[in-house]
Amino acid sequence: MPGQTFSIDLNSDVGESFGAYRIGADEDLFPLISSANVACGFHGGDPRVMERTVTTLARKGVAIGAHPGFPDIPGFGRREMHLSPEEIRTDVMYQIGALKVFCDAAGVPLHHVKPHGAMYNMAAKDREMARAIAQAVINAAPTAMIYAQAGTEMAHAAENLGLRVAYEVFADRAYLANGLLVPRSQGGAVIHDAEDVGARIISMTRGEPIATIDGAPIMLRADTVCVHSDTPQAVAIARAVRSALDVAGIVLRAPE
Amino acid sequence: MPGQTFSIDLNSDVGESFGAYRIGADEDLFPLISSANVACGFHGGDPRVMERTVTTLARKGVAIGAHPGFPDIPGFGRREMHLSPEEIRTDVMYQIGALKVFCDAAGVPLHHVKPHGAMYNMAAKDREMARAIAQAVINAAPTAMIYAQAGTEMAHAAENLGLRVAYEVFADRAYLANGLLVPRSQGGAVIHDAEDVGARIISMTRGEPIATIDGAPIMLRADTVCVHSDTPQAVAIARAVRSALDVAGIVLRAPE
Amino acid sequence: MPGQTFSIDLNSDVGESFGAYRIGADEDLFPLISSANVACGFHGGDPRVMERTVTTLARKGVAIGAHPGFPDIPGFGRREMHLSPEEIRTDVMYQIGALKVFCDAAGVPLHHVKPHGAMYNMAAKDREMARAIAQAVINAAPTAMIYAQAGTEMAHAAENLGLRVAYEVFADRAYLANGLLVPRSQGGAVIHDAEDVGARIISMTRGEPIATIDGAPIMLRADTVCVHSDTPQAVAIARAVRSALDVAGIVLRAPE
Amino acid sequence: MPGQTFSIDLNSDVGESFGAYRIGADEDLFPLISSANVACGFHGGDPRVMERTVTTLARKGVAIGAHPGFPDIPGFGRREMHLSPEEIRTDVMYQIGALKVFCDAAGVPLHHVKPHGAMYNMAAKDREMARAIAQAVINAAPTAMIYAQAGTEMAHAAENLGLRVAYEVFADRAYLANGLLVPRSQGGAVIHDAEDVGARIISMTRGEPIATIDGAPIMLRADTVCVHSDTPQAVAIARAVRSALDVAGIVLRAPE
């Protein structure tokens, strides 16, 4: 298809610093991504960090999403917590509202919502939790997208409630033939080579199948690619990926 | 002035329960007041309590305000904290945003903002803090009013930034001739007799002077009267005051 | 066996108030129990409440235990959290140390440790968590007892590490023939009649079998009986139970 | 005095990391200091960090102190809070107890207590707060020393209650002729040259006068020298100071 231009979104978690504590490499990542998930104070972030992050992202034209998490700063939102649907729904609404005020003040829309850490993982499988999160988005930011893996309970819940979903892929993770991620506990679950990662994103962006760990190729719907920010190599990988996309003529663009 | 109808606002702090902990007598107060200050999770309140409180207030037609406080649940926001203007401004924006989302979901406007506890008292005297709070309201809810005592730094800062101010009086507190409250440490600072309290409100509502502790009468601008919610007698006093206003033909109405 | 005197321990959760928030009916329960589980600030309680509670219990001769919970004030420690064994062990050590200092200051020993809420329930079934808790007690208070249900992972872990265990029963809960509690979701799980509850305690204290919901009688090892403190009827039931024990000549005594 | 050996203590704040957040350069500082102030979870630190820090310090033979702070993780304990003496006393007892349990488990004594940040600064001038802290140490760790600047309310309160005091000096701060620190807001308040800092410590250790900003020399009682850990240059300065002391034949030793 000569002349066709493909586009993809790179998203990353940012704004997770807290008080005197610094984490992540936000300033280095900002030029490399097209959308960002901003912590809302429950697992990381604080009102100062939120304001500064939103202001900077707005200036750089990066689309801003809320990144709500469990109320667990000591565990960075990575520990499973069993909350009632009402607790999930209202905790997520609260966090969206808190972030939205900084978007409003910066004159930019709240583009999307992506649950953080253990909440993201649990909501992929837990129908009640997924529904509570989707309901929170309907209540608090009905025009925002949800970032979710295709085929998960989170994606289904968002689809059922009529929310717009951006389907997310993990370019540095191996997939099973059924479209799910290879568990981290298994060998080969994480792809460390930046070139491989870049090549996979390019394939997914062009709608081409990628290899699975089982051998069989698979087609993944990819609207947005998660770029990790929490490893020492994060920025280097992001830079390599970004270069590969530029070379391949793929345009970086937040999903619409 | 025969036929003239006077109106006044009665406001009270509500929604300060937290998790398994109950505080205040919200359900009893709701029918007696015309506006309510809803805790936003920093000194009290949590997302469940916020949603339920806002929903109930909306149904009863009580005007809803944000009641931001210091980040101090163990101290209930009553302990002085020395925060930078940036910390004050962003903490208040965050709390306003969090509450606003529940107002939006309930289809009612955020009517006003009233700082809580130690923040209220400090902002009355501290120009920088007052300005930071007023700036937060401009940023986060520019159409909302601020509740403040006339003549305080908080009132001046709000006036200077063009915010609408509802001037607040304390009907159960004695005043000095200069318009300030008699400090609680001084004898006669608190008026315990509900009949006296009612009579003072009626005078203030009609624009008549009230007696000060120094003897000289004083004219106070009264748009809204604070009805305490944190003493065992709170509801009884509120009921007596409300009856007295009804008998005097004074209409209860949130300031506009 | 004429002349034989039986004794039993009644324990209750106390000191769960927090800042401006009051919960429970501590003052009413203190005269009725022989040991108390004092919240340590993670799910409830604060240093003021801890000091006052320990001082009062010491004066009344009630044995004092630490009641560590998950770090979750908004959820009152009743929400499951998935922590690593290291997180459990160090969180429990921290809480024991914090309470112990108030025992030392009051000149009384730390008598026992009883995990709170979701941690208690999870540790009954989760071997790793149970081991982490037992290890924390070994590290932080090796002479203290652990309160645990017989046959649970918590009891096994404590036994394996050589800790002294006081076996706990729930007099207001129905049992299955296998010695486990009837789940609360099932009909008849909770026994509401104070007379029944008292009779069951007397049987258990005397080493007699009690009826199970399945019909077959069962022998339960009962060193300590949990007296709930979190329902409106808690104090009334505790009073009735205490009277029944007095009438039956059963002595109230903390386990040794 | 030929042959006389002088000794001094270098202390530093450590263990202030928190959950996923890392702060400070603990591992680099450990070999350079003779005593350490370990955060207790209120302004920084968590039970994992506390255990690891205490274990490492014990292995290296560094004396361990509790470093209690205000309950203010977002502000890192650097924001003034106005707490009642009862709140100060019980918050400090709680923190001492929590740290002590990890010392007990590691088989080392709790050597000292040094208040952190805003609490340290306020207690230098506020008699009631100083007394509350001293009382907490008496209650919770009567054999521990207090680190305090000579002439402050904190030092007086500790002396009056019979606690042992190690008098602390700040080698990288200029002094006024009255023995107080030059306020940071004033020019020349901080000494950035590591050689100067080293020379001043050597003078103070030998009981020689040092120059003040006013010109007049002053004698300062120096039992322990604060080595900052929170600036990028902290480790470099500490290394330079340590070398200078070694060259001068001054022995590093925790106060007794």
Side-chain angles (χ1 to χ4, degrees), chain C residues 7-225:
Chain C
S7 74
I8 190 76
D9 177 55
L10 298 183
N11 80 74
S12 195
D13 299 349
V14 301
E16 294 180 322
S17 293
F18 171 75
Y21 296 103
R22 294 285 155 266
I23 209 168
D26 291 10
E27 291 295 330
D28 294 325
L29 280 170
F30 289 162
L32 305 171
I33 57 181
S34 41
S35 73
N37 320 304
V38 183
C40 302
F42 272 39
H43 75 276
D46 69 32
R48 267 71 57 206
V49 172
M50 289 164 75
E51 183 180 68
R52 274 180 236 141
T53 304
V54 164
T55 308
T56 306
L57 291 168
R59 204 175 50 236
K60 292 185 185 291
V62 178
I64 296 169
H67 197 40
F70 286 132
D72 180 24
I73 295 259
F76 204 62
R78 287 182 177 151
R79 308 192 290 202
E80 284 197 9
M81 291 183 70
H82 291 261
L83 275 58
S84 71
E86 189 201 14
E87 289 173 325
I88 292 285
R89 180 174 48 74
T90 50
D91 274 1
V92 171
M93 286 176 68
Y94 183 100
Q95 294 179 72
I96 291 174
L99 186 69
K100 209 160 154 291
V101 96
F102 295 105
C103 292
D104 289 349
V108 289
L110 182 75
H111 173 266
H112 68 273
V113 176
K114 175 180 168 179
H116 167 80
M119 191 190 282
Y120 184 95
N121 295 331
M122 292 176 81
K125 297 178 202 158
D126 180 329
R127 187 165 303 179
E128 274 208 323
M129 187 181 290
R131 206 175 287 166
I133 294 169
Q135 193 61 56
V137 179
I138 292 272
N139 292 351
T143 59
M145 304 185 86
I146 284 199
Y147 282 15
Q149 276 183 271
T152 58
E153 291 292 346
M154 187 66 254
H156 294 324
E159 292 156 0
N160 288 340
L161 285 174
L163 284 167
R164 293 178 307 131
V165 184
Y167 296 95
E168 183 173 37
V169 293
F170 295 84
D172 61 351
R173 293 290 300 277
Y175 278 83
L176 299 163
N178 65 2
L180 296 181
L181 292 174
V182 176
R184 275 178 187 275
S185 52
Q186 202 174 315
V190 178
I191 301 168
H192 295 286
D193 184 80
E195 211 172 313
D196 277 10
V197 172
R200 286 166 75 88
I201 297 178
I202 292 169
S203 296
M204 293 189 272
T205 302
R206 289 181 174 153
E208 299 163 4
I210 59 158
T212 65
I213 207 165
D214 310 307
I218 191 178
M219 293 281 294
L220 288 173
R221 173 147 182 206
D223 297 321
T224 182
V225 179

Side-chain angles (χ1 to χ4, degrees), chain D residues 33-48:
Chain D
I33 57 180
S34 41
S35 72
N37 321 305
V38 183
C40 302
F42 272 40
H43 77 275
D46 69 32
R48 267 71 59 207

Side-chain angles (χ1 to χ4, degrees), chain B residues 166-180:
Chain B
Y167 295 94
E168 183 172 37
V169 292
F170 295 83
D172 61 350
R173 292 290 300 278
Y175 278 83
L176 298 164
N178 66 1
L180 296 181

Side-chain angles (χ1 to χ4, degrees), chain A residues 40-42 47-48 50-52 86-87 89-91 93-94 97-98 101-102 105 139-140, chain B residues 40-42 47-48 50-52 86-87 89-91 93-94 97-98 101-102 105 139-140:
Chain A
C40 303
F42 272 41
R48 266 71 59 206
M50 289 164 74
E51 183 180 68
R52 275 179 237 142
E86 188 200 15
E87 288 173 326
R89 179 174 49 74
T90 49
D91 274 2
M93 288 175 68
Y94 183 102
V101 97
F102 295 106
N139 292 350
Chain B
C40 302
F42 272 40
R48 268 70 60 206
M50 289 164 74
E51 184 181 67
R52 274 179 235 142
E86 189 201 13
E87 289 173 326
R89 180 173 50 74
T90 50
D91 273 2
M93 287 176 68
Y94 183 102
V101 96
F102 294 106
N139 291 350

